[in-house]
Short mmCIF file of all heavy atoms in Angstrom, two decimals:
data_model
loop_
_atom_site.label_atom_id
_atom_site.label_comp_id
_atom_site.label_asym_id
_atom_site.label_seq_id
_atom_site.Cartn_x
_atom_site.Cartn_y
_atom_site.Cartn_z
N ALA A 1 147.58 165.98 29.80
CA ALA A 1 148.61 166.91 30.27
C ALA A 1 148.72 166.66 31.83
O ALA A 1 149.87 166.61 32.41
CB ALA A 1 148.46 168.30 30.04
N LEU A 2 147.62 166.68 32.54
CA LEU A 2 147.58 166.43 33.95
C LEU A 2 148.20 165.14 34.37
O LEU A 2 149.02 165.01 35.37
CB LEU A 2 146.13 166.70 34.46
CG LEU A 2 145.98 166.38 35.93
CD1 LEU A 2 146.60 167.47 36.74
CD2 LEU A 2 144.42 166.30 36.25
N SER A 3 147.66 164.03 33.64
CA SER A 3 148.23 162.75 33.92
C SER A 3 149.67 162.60 33.65
O SER A 3 150.25 161.75 34.42
CB SER A 3 147.35 161.68 32.99
OG SER A 3 146.04 161.80 33.50
N SER A 4 150.15 163.21 32.66
CA SER A 4 151.56 163.09 32.37
C SER A 4 152.42 163.68 33.54
O SER A 4 153.56 163.14 33.78
CB SER A 4 152.04 163.78 31.11
OG SER A 4 151.71 165.24 31.13
N GLN A 5 151.88 164.70 34.22
CA GLN A 5 152.59 165.20 35.44
C GLN A 5 152.52 164.32 36.54
O GLN A 5 153.54 164.13 37.26
CB GLN A 5 152.01 166.65 35.66
CG GLN A 5 152.14 167.71 34.69
CD GLN A 5 151.42 168.99 35.12
OE1 GLN A 5 151.66 169.48 36.16
NE2 GLN A 5 150.48 169.25 34.30
N ALA A 6 151.46 163.67 36.75
CA ALA A 6 151.16 162.84 37.89
C ALA A 6 152.01 161.48 37.66
O ALA A 6 152.36 160.95 38.66
CB ALA A 6 149.69 162.41 37.97
N LYS A 7 152.30 161.13 36.43
CA LYS A 7 152.99 159.79 36.15
C LYS A 7 154.38 159.89 36.89
O LYS A 7 154.76 158.88 37.34
CB LYS A 7 153.19 159.68 34.63
CG LYS A 7 152.12 158.84 33.94
CD LYS A 7 152.50 158.51 32.63
CE LYS A 7 151.49 157.61 31.97
NZ LYS A 7 151.82 157.22 30.56
N GLY A 8 154.95 161.08 36.91
CA GLY A 8 156.24 161.19 37.56
C GLY A 8 156.23 160.94 39.02
O GLY A 8 157.29 160.69 39.74
N MET A 9 155.11 161.00 39.60
CA MET A 9 154.80 160.77 41.06
C MET A 9 154.65 159.35 41.28
O MET A 9 154.53 158.97 42.48
CB MET A 9 153.65 161.51 41.52
CG MET A 9 153.88 163.04 41.28
SD MET A 9 152.33 163.95 41.59
CE MET A 9 151.99 163.55 43.41
N ASN A 10 154.53 158.47 40.32
CA ASN A 10 154.26 156.95 40.40
C ASN A 10 153.01 156.70 41.22
O ASN A 10 152.80 155.50 41.55
CB ASN A 10 155.47 156.30 41.12
CG ASN A 10 156.60 156.27 40.26
OD1 ASN A 10 156.68 156.16 39.13
ND2 ASN A 10 157.77 156.68 40.84
N PHE A 11 152.08 157.56 41.36
CA PHE A 11 150.85 157.40 41.91
C PHE A 11 150.94 156.78 43.38
O PHE A 11 149.96 156.29 43.95
CB PHE A 11 150.03 156.53 41.12
CG PHE A 11 149.88 156.97 39.67
CD1 PHE A 11 150.67 156.46 38.69
CD2 PHE A 11 149.05 158.03 39.42
CE1 PHE A 11 150.56 156.97 37.41
CE2 PHE A 11 148.92 158.56 38.17
CZ PHE A 11 149.70 157.98 37.14
N GLY A 12 152.17 156.78 43.91
CA GLY A 12 152.25 156.18 45.33
C GLY A 12 152.45 154.70 45.27
O GLY A 12 152.24 154.17 46.38
N VAL A 13 152.53 154.12 44.17
CA VAL A 13 152.54 152.57 44.03
C VAL A 13 153.28 152.15 42.81
O VAL A 13 153.32 152.92 41.85
CB VAL A 13 151.13 152.09 44.01
CG1 VAL A 13 150.47 152.29 42.65
CG2 VAL A 13 151.13 150.48 44.21
N ARG A 14 154.06 151.05 43.06
CA ARG A 14 154.80 150.61 42.00
C ARG A 14 154.65 149.19 41.57
O ARG A 14 155.26 148.62 40.73
CB ARG A 14 156.31 150.79 42.36
CG ARG A 14 156.78 152.15 42.53
CD ARG A 14 158.28 152.29 42.88
NE ARG A 14 159.12 151.98 41.76
CZ ARG A 14 159.36 152.84 40.77
NH1 ARG A 14 158.92 153.99 40.75
NH2 ARG A 14 160.13 152.51 39.74
N SER A 15 153.69 148.49 42.35
CA SER A 15 153.46 147.04 42.08
C SER A 15 152.17 146.63 42.71
O SER A 15 151.66 147.25 43.68
CB SER A 15 154.63 146.40 42.90
OG SER A 15 154.43 144.95 42.72
N VAL A 16 151.59 145.60 42.17
CA VAL A 16 150.43 144.85 42.71
C VAL A 16 150.81 143.67 43.60
O VAL A 16 150.04 143.09 44.25
CB VAL A 16 149.37 144.43 41.60
CG1 VAL A 16 148.97 145.57 40.80
CG2 VAL A 16 150.06 143.38 40.70
N LEU A 17 152.13 143.46 43.55
CA LEU A 17 152.58 142.25 44.24
C LEU A 17 152.43 142.25 45.79
O LEU A 17 152.11 141.28 46.43
CB LEU A 17 154.07 142.03 44.03
CG LEU A 17 154.45 141.73 42.52
CD1 LEU A 17 155.96 141.55 42.30
CD2 LEU A 17 153.64 140.59 42.04
N PRO A 18 152.47 143.50 46.47
CA PRO A 18 152.18 143.54 47.96
C PRO A 18 150.76 143.05 48.32
O PRO A 18 150.39 142.87 49.43
CB PRO A 18 152.47 144.99 48.22
CG PRO A 18 153.47 145.40 47.25
CD PRO A 18 153.07 144.77 46.01
N LEU A 19 149.87 143.08 47.19
CA LEU A 19 148.49 142.63 47.44
C LEU A 19 148.49 141.13 47.97
O LEU A 19 147.49 140.65 48.47
CB LEU A 19 147.59 142.88 46.24
CG LEU A 19 147.42 144.29 45.87
CD1 LEU A 19 146.78 144.34 44.53
CD2 LEU A 19 146.62 145.11 46.83
N GLY A 20 149.49 140.34 47.50
CA GLY A 20 149.54 139.05 47.78
C GLY A 20 148.92 138.22 46.57
O GLY A 20 148.63 138.88 45.56
N PHE A 21 148.84 136.93 46.60
CA PHE A 21 148.39 136.11 45.65
C PHE A 21 147.11 135.29 45.94
O PHE A 21 146.64 134.59 45.10
CB PHE A 21 149.52 135.15 45.18
CG PHE A 21 150.65 135.81 44.74
CD1 PHE A 21 151.89 135.89 45.58
CD2 PHE A 21 150.84 136.42 43.48
CE1 PHE A 21 152.99 136.51 45.21
CE2 PHE A 21 151.91 136.96 43.04
CZ PHE A 21 153.12 137.12 43.89
N ALA A 22 146.49 135.48 47.15
CA ALA A 22 145.31 134.84 47.50
C ALA A 22 144.05 135.73 47.19
O ALA A 22 143.83 136.73 47.83
CB ALA A 22 145.33 134.52 48.91
N CYS A 23 143.43 135.55 45.97
CA CYS A 23 142.38 136.37 45.59
C CYS A 23 141.02 135.59 45.91
O CYS A 23 140.85 134.50 45.50
CB CYS A 23 142.49 136.63 44.13
SG CYS A 23 141.15 137.81 43.39
N LYS A 24 140.11 136.23 46.65
CA LYS A 24 138.93 135.70 47.11
C LYS A 24 137.85 135.46 45.98
O LYS A 24 136.82 134.92 46.22
CB LYS A 24 138.42 136.33 48.36
CG LYS A 24 139.26 136.21 49.45
CD LYS A 24 138.72 136.97 50.64
CE LYS A 24 139.71 136.89 51.91
NZ LYS A 24 139.11 137.54 53.09
N ILE A 25 138.02 136.07 44.85
CA ILE A 25 137.06 136.00 43.72
C ILE A 25 137.70 135.49 42.48
O ILE A 25 138.92 135.44 42.41
CB ILE A 25 136.51 137.42 43.42
CG1 ILE A 25 137.59 138.41 43.02
CG2 ILE A 25 135.74 137.96 44.70
CD1 ILE A 25 137.08 139.69 42.56
N PRO A 26 136.93 134.94 41.49
CA PRO A 26 137.54 134.55 40.25
C PRO A 26 138.35 135.54 39.69
O PRO A 26 138.08 136.76 39.58
CB PRO A 26 136.33 134.27 39.48
CG PRO A 26 135.19 133.74 40.43
CD PRO A 26 135.44 134.71 41.61
N HIS A 27 139.51 135.20 39.15
CA HIS A 27 140.57 136.10 38.68
C HIS A 27 140.97 135.63 37.30
O HIS A 27 141.57 134.54 37.16
CB HIS A 27 141.67 136.07 39.64
CG HIS A 27 142.77 137.08 39.46
ND1 HIS A 27 143.72 137.05 38.35
CD2 HIS A 27 143.05 138.21 40.11
CE1 HIS A 27 144.49 138.12 38.42
NE2 HIS A 27 144.03 138.92 39.46
N TYR A 28 140.75 136.46 36.25
CA TYR A 28 141.06 136.20 34.86
C TYR A 28 142.05 137.27 34.36
O TYR A 28 141.78 138.43 34.65
CB TYR A 28 139.81 136.05 34.07
CG TYR A 28 138.79 135.10 34.59
CD1 TYR A 28 137.54 135.64 35.18
CD2 TYR A 28 138.90 133.82 34.68
CE1 TYR A 28 136.62 134.83 35.64
CE2 TYR A 28 137.99 132.96 35.11
CZ TYR A 28 136.87 133.37 35.73
OH TYR A 28 135.90 132.65 36.23
N ILE A 29 142.92 136.76 33.44
CA ILE A 29 143.83 137.76 32.78
C ILE A 29 143.81 137.39 31.27
O ILE A 29 143.93 136.23 30.97
CB ILE A 29 145.26 137.68 33.34
CG1 ILE A 29 145.31 138.21 34.70
CG2 ILE A 29 146.33 138.50 32.33
CD1 ILE A 29 146.64 138.21 35.38
N ILE A 30 143.72 138.47 30.35
CA ILE A 30 143.78 138.27 29.00
C ILE A 30 144.98 139.13 28.47
O ILE A 30 144.97 140.33 28.81
CB ILE A 30 142.46 138.81 28.38
CG1 ILE A 30 141.34 137.76 28.50
CG2 ILE A 30 142.61 139.01 26.81
CD1 ILE A 30 139.93 138.18 28.07
N GLN A 31 145.85 138.49 27.91
CA GLN A 31 147.11 139.22 27.59
C GLN A 31 147.56 138.98 26.18
O GLN A 31 147.59 137.85 25.59
CB GLN A 31 148.27 138.69 28.45
CG GLN A 31 149.43 139.68 28.59
CD GLN A 31 149.07 140.83 29.46
OE1 GLN A 31 148.10 140.84 30.16
NE2 GLN A 31 149.98 141.81 29.48
N GLY A 32 147.81 140.08 25.40
CA GLY A 32 148.27 139.89 24.05
C GLY A 32 149.66 139.41 24.02
O GLY A 32 150.64 139.89 24.78
N VAL A 33 149.96 138.38 23.22
CA VAL A 33 151.36 137.88 23.13
C VAL A 33 152.37 138.87 22.74
O VAL A 33 153.45 138.85 23.18
CB VAL A 33 151.34 136.55 22.11
CG1 VAL A 33 152.79 136.17 21.88
CG2 VAL A 33 150.46 135.46 22.79
N ASP A 34 151.92 139.80 21.92
CA ASP A 34 152.89 140.89 21.44
C ASP A 34 152.79 142.18 22.17
O ASP A 34 153.20 143.23 21.73
CB ASP A 34 152.64 141.04 19.91
CG ASP A 34 152.89 139.92 19.03
OD1 ASP A 34 153.96 139.24 19.38
OD2 ASP A 34 152.16 139.66 18.13
N ASP A 35 152.35 142.07 23.33
CA ASP A 35 152.18 143.21 24.29
C ASP A 35 153.57 143.79 24.67
O ASP A 35 154.30 143.01 25.30
CB ASP A 35 151.39 142.98 25.46
CG ASP A 35 150.82 144.13 26.32
OD1 ASP A 35 151.51 145.15 26.19
OD2 ASP A 35 149.88 143.99 27.12
N ILE A 36 153.91 144.97 24.25
CA ILE A 36 155.12 145.58 24.77
C ILE A 36 154.95 146.62 25.74
O ILE A 36 155.97 147.16 26.29
CB ILE A 36 155.92 146.19 23.44
CG1 ILE A 36 155.06 147.21 22.72
CG2 ILE A 36 156.29 145.09 22.45
CD1 ILE A 36 155.78 148.02 21.72
N SER A 37 153.86 147.01 26.07
CA SER A 37 153.48 148.02 27.14
C SER A 37 153.54 147.34 28.53
O SER A 37 154.19 147.80 29.48
CB SER A 37 152.20 148.68 26.88
OG SER A 37 152.20 149.43 25.62
N THR A 38 152.74 146.31 28.64
CA THR A 38 152.79 145.48 29.81
C THR A 38 153.19 144.13 29.36
O THR A 38 152.29 143.33 29.05
CB THR A 38 151.43 145.36 30.62
OG1 THR A 38 150.38 145.14 29.60
CG2 THR A 38 151.11 146.83 31.17
N PRO A 39 154.45 143.76 29.38
CA PRO A 39 154.92 142.56 28.62
C PRO A 39 154.34 141.28 29.08
O PRO A 39 154.04 141.06 30.29
CB PRO A 39 156.44 142.63 28.99
CG PRO A 39 156.73 144.03 29.16
CD PRO A 39 155.62 144.61 29.79
N TYR A 40 154.07 140.40 28.15
CA TYR A 40 153.32 139.18 28.31
C TYR A 40 153.95 138.31 29.40
O TYR A 40 153.20 137.68 30.21
CB TYR A 40 153.33 138.45 26.98
CG TYR A 40 152.79 137.01 26.92
CD1 TYR A 40 151.37 136.87 26.68
CD2 TYR A 40 153.51 135.95 27.19
CE1 TYR A 40 150.83 135.67 26.66
CE2 TYR A 40 152.87 134.64 27.33
CZ TYR A 40 151.55 134.49 26.92
OH TYR A 40 150.94 133.32 26.99
N ARG A 41 155.19 138.09 29.33
CA ARG A 41 155.95 137.24 30.38
C ARG A 41 155.50 137.61 31.75
O ARG A 41 155.26 136.73 32.62
CB ARG A 41 157.37 137.20 30.14
CG ARG A 41 158.09 136.16 31.05
CD ARG A 41 159.60 136.27 30.79
NE ARG A 41 160.14 137.54 31.39
CZ ARG A 41 160.42 137.69 32.68
NH1 ARG A 41 160.17 136.77 33.68
NH2 ARG A 41 160.85 138.92 33.04
N LEU A 42 155.60 138.86 32.13
CA LEU A 42 155.29 139.32 33.47
C LEU A 42 153.79 138.94 33.95
O LEU A 42 153.60 138.50 35.05
CB LEU A 42 155.58 140.77 33.65
CG LEU A 42 156.95 141.25 33.35
CD1 LEU A 42 157.11 142.77 33.64
CD2 LEU A 42 158.00 140.49 34.12
N ALA A 43 152.94 139.19 32.99
CA ALA A 43 151.58 138.91 33.40
C ALA A 43 151.27 137.42 33.48
O ALA A 43 150.54 136.95 34.33
CB ALA A 43 150.66 139.37 32.21
N GLU A 44 151.95 136.68 32.65
CA GLU A 44 151.79 135.16 32.76
C GLU A 44 152.39 134.55 34.07
O GLU A 44 151.76 133.83 34.76
CB GLU A 44 152.43 134.49 31.59
CG GLU A 44 152.30 132.93 31.55
CD GLU A 44 152.99 132.34 30.36
OE1 GLU A 44 154.09 132.86 29.92
OE2 GLU A 44 152.48 131.35 29.83
N GLU A 45 153.48 135.16 34.51
CA GLU A 45 154.08 134.63 35.72
C GLU A 45 153.29 135.02 36.89
O GLU A 45 153.04 134.29 37.81
CB GLU A 45 155.52 135.20 35.80
CG GLU A 45 156.52 134.65 34.86
CD GLU A 45 157.87 135.08 35.06
OE1 GLU A 45 158.19 136.00 35.87
OE2 GLU A 45 158.81 134.51 34.30
N TYR A 46 152.67 136.29 36.82
CA TYR A 46 151.90 136.74 37.90
C TYR A 46 150.69 135.88 38.02
O TYR A 46 150.22 135.42 39.13
CB TYR A 46 151.48 138.15 37.68
CG TYR A 46 150.49 138.72 38.62
CD1 TYR A 46 150.68 138.97 39.98
CD2 TYR A 46 149.24 138.98 38.06
CE1 TYR A 46 149.71 139.38 40.77
CE2 TYR A 46 148.25 139.60 38.93
CZ TYR A 46 148.43 139.77 40.23
OH TYR A 46 147.51 140.28 41.06
N SER A 47 149.99 135.52 36.91
CA SER A 47 148.81 134.72 36.98
C SER A 47 149.17 133.30 37.47
O SER A 47 148.24 132.78 38.27
CB SER A 47 148.27 134.60 35.42
OG SER A 47 147.15 133.79 35.42
N LYS A 48 150.20 132.82 37.29
CA LYS A 48 150.53 131.55 37.74
C LYS A 48 150.63 131.35 39.30
O LYS A 48 150.41 130.43 39.85
CB LYS A 48 151.96 130.94 37.17
CG LYS A 48 151.86 130.60 35.70
CD LYS A 48 153.30 130.23 35.13
CE LYS A 48 153.26 129.83 33.74
NZ LYS A 48 154.59 129.52 33.21
#
């Protein structure tokens, strides 16, 4: 119930993209092809 209220506030962030794409540590993503919550295509493009 608490989290559902906070969701409307967007937690003060809407994207990981402002972090940039230069990660100093090994970076792995595992994504379900049929993921409809965090769609596959977006994660794949981000990883590239």
Side-chain angles (χ1 to χ4, degrees):
L2 177 68
S3 298
S4 67
Q5 297 175 58
K7 268 187 175 180
M9 302 167 61
N10 293 315
F11 307 99
V13 67
R14 299 182 68 81
S15 177
V16 300
L17 300 179
L19 298 171
F21 299 103
C23 187
K24 296 181 179 180
I25 62 174
H27 189 285
Y28 307 112
I29 292 178
I30 288 174
Q31 201 77 9
V33 170
D34 296 323
D35 191 336
I36 60 173
S37 294
T38 51
Y40 177 89
R41 184 184 67 83
L42 300 183
E44 183 181 34
E45 289 184 357
Y46 171 68
S47 180
K48 288 178 180 177

